[in-house]
Amino acid sequence: MKLALIGTGKIIEDALFAMEPVETIERTAIFARPHSRDKAEKFAKQYAIKEVYTDYEELLEKTEADTVYIGLINSAHYPYAKQALLAGKNVILEKPFTGFYEETKDLEKIANDKKLFIFEAITVLHNEVFYEMKKNLNKLGNIRMALCNYSQYSSRYDAYLEGDITHSFDPAYYGGSLYDINVYNIHYCVGLFGEPKDATYYPNIGPNGIDTSGTLVMQYDGFSAVCTGSKDSDSPGYVCVQGEKGFMKVDSKPNIASELKTVYADENIKEKVKDAAGAMVRATITEDYKAPEHHHRMTQEFTDFARVIDEKDYETAKEFLDETVAVVKVLETARKKAGIEFYTY
């Protein structure tokens, strides 16, 4: 895969470092707005990137790259991705995929029509812990509850309170806690349980109408999934799935899950046993899983993207995109019901 990187922000810096050990990726080009050209030149020198552009149309026309990775502000995702697809390039699009469901469906159609690949860069879908959760789900019996929390006090929140509104807290740029941070929790739930029957969001709204934190409730047959995301407060993160026969839990922020504990009833022992407090409980089996260490939390997703593109694995690409489409639908349903309006100036 020959890759052009679009942007020069922190996520691009992380991505460049993450893909260093991925031998199947050739970093071919980088795009920056004119005022950020110096930063692009610095990245180009550091990572041996041959082409530097400040004109996006020129990059799409002249670059050797077959794929673009778009790490721009949320509101730029759709127009930049559409332009790349129409120019015949595969697209890796940072989360959240788009601000609107209609935009996501449009990108899906263009990619399908042109036999191109388009992916959402979301670490959940490329994490061994998530794969292990899928394998262990049936051990829990009938699912009764899913609880997720990704809360992280934003480095930009203090400035926001003083009226200095950055993109991550601006509805004009599709910011807010639901799209920026709770999206990880939603991916776990949609990936494990499928698209919910309904979704309702209970946000804490800041002075400019954006959600600084909130709790999303997704309804499934027989249970609810409760997802909390916060940029205005902090707490330990977790993902916990509870069933009639056991539970499994990730005790870390959902974007960097590295370990999983699964506890479920031992069907070979029918008699109850005493727990540490002397109460009679079911005999259980405990399984602890630790994922292999990676160079960076984003390394595996870039490895996967390169493999899928190089091998033309349309089936896997469709699985990834189907989940993304479902997640964007949840995001938009929840946002609209909560009265959060995205707009452009």
Side-chain angles (χ1 to χ4, degrees), residues 112-319:
N112 287 339
D113 289 347
K114 297 178 77 67
K115 301 295 183 186
L116 293 168
F117 294 99
I118 185 166
F119 308 94
E120 180 181 18
I122 182 87
T123 52
V124 174
L125 297 183
H126 309 273
N127 189 316
E128 289 90 349
V129 167
F130 179 64
Y131 305 152
E132 193 72 11
M133 293 179 79
K134 281 189 167 186
K135 289 193 296 184
N136 288 354
L137 192 61
N138 63 352
K139 297 176 182 178
L140 309 184
N142 292 326
I143 302 303
R144 291 305 185 202
M145 185 69 65
L147 303 168
C148 310
N149 188 334
Y150 187 1
S151 296
Q152 185 168 296
Y153 193 88
S154 172
S155 60
R156 301 178 178 92
Y157 185 61
D158 290 342
Y160 170 75
L161 293 177
E162 295 173 2
D164 181 6
I165 300 172
T166 56
H167 296 154
S168 60
F169 285 101
D170 195 333
Y173 297 101
Y174 313 160
S177 181
L178 179 65
Y179 278 65
D180 186 46
I181 203 164
N182 217 344
V183 64
Y184 289 99
N185 297 327
I186 299 168
H187 262 289
Y188 274 97
C189 294
V190 171
L192 291 171
F193 316 123
E195 186 176 326
K197 297 168 64 177
D198 198 9
T200 305
Y201 188 45
Y202 303 93
N204 293 317
I205 299 294
N208 67 336
I210 203 65
D211 56 315
T212 59
S213 60
T215 295
L216 172 72
V217 180
M218 293 189 286
Q219 296 176 345
Y220 290 91
D221 287 330
F223 71 99
S224 295
V226 181
C227 300
T228 294
S230 175
K231 293 163 68 70
D232 58 15
S233 56
D234 202 359
S235 79
Y238 59 84
V239 177
C240 185
V241 179
Q242 300 170 207
E244 291 177 344
K245 294 183 178 180
F247 71 90
M248 57 184 172
K249 189 176 185 185
V250 174
D251 268 319
S252 66
K253 294 191 185 298
N255 69 325
I256 53 171
S258 60
E259 297 183 15
L260 176 70
K261 178 181 288 292
T262 305
V263 179
Y264 57 97
D266 188 343
E267 301 291 352
N268 295 317
I269 302 177
K270 302 301 181 183
E271 301 80 11
K272 290 188 176 181
V273 298
K274 288 185 178 182
D275 66 7
M280 300 302 293
V281 297
R282 294 179 298 184
T284 58
I285 296 171
T286 298
E287 296 175 349
D288 293 310
Y289 174 80
K290 186 172 183 178
E293 292 187 12
H294 291 290
H295 178 70
H296 186 272
R297 64 182 176 84
M298 296 167 64
T299 299
Q300 187 59 49
E301 63 183 308
F302 281 104
T303 303
D304 291 346
F305 297 146
R307 185 199 66 78
V308 169
I309 289 173
D310 290 346
E311 297 179 7
K312 297 192 181 302
D313 184 355
Y314 289 101
E315 183 178 350
T316 297
K318 184 179 185 304
E319 291 175 4

Side-chain angles (χ1 to χ4, degrees), residues 36-55:
S36 299
R37 184 181 180 96
D38 287 349
K39 195 170 184 182
E41 296 279 6
K42 180 181 176 183
F43 285 144
K45 183 177 180 180
Q46 182 177 357
Y47 292 100
I49 300 171
K50 294 185 295 183
E51 307 168 7
V52 177
Y53 295 90
T54 56
D55 184 308

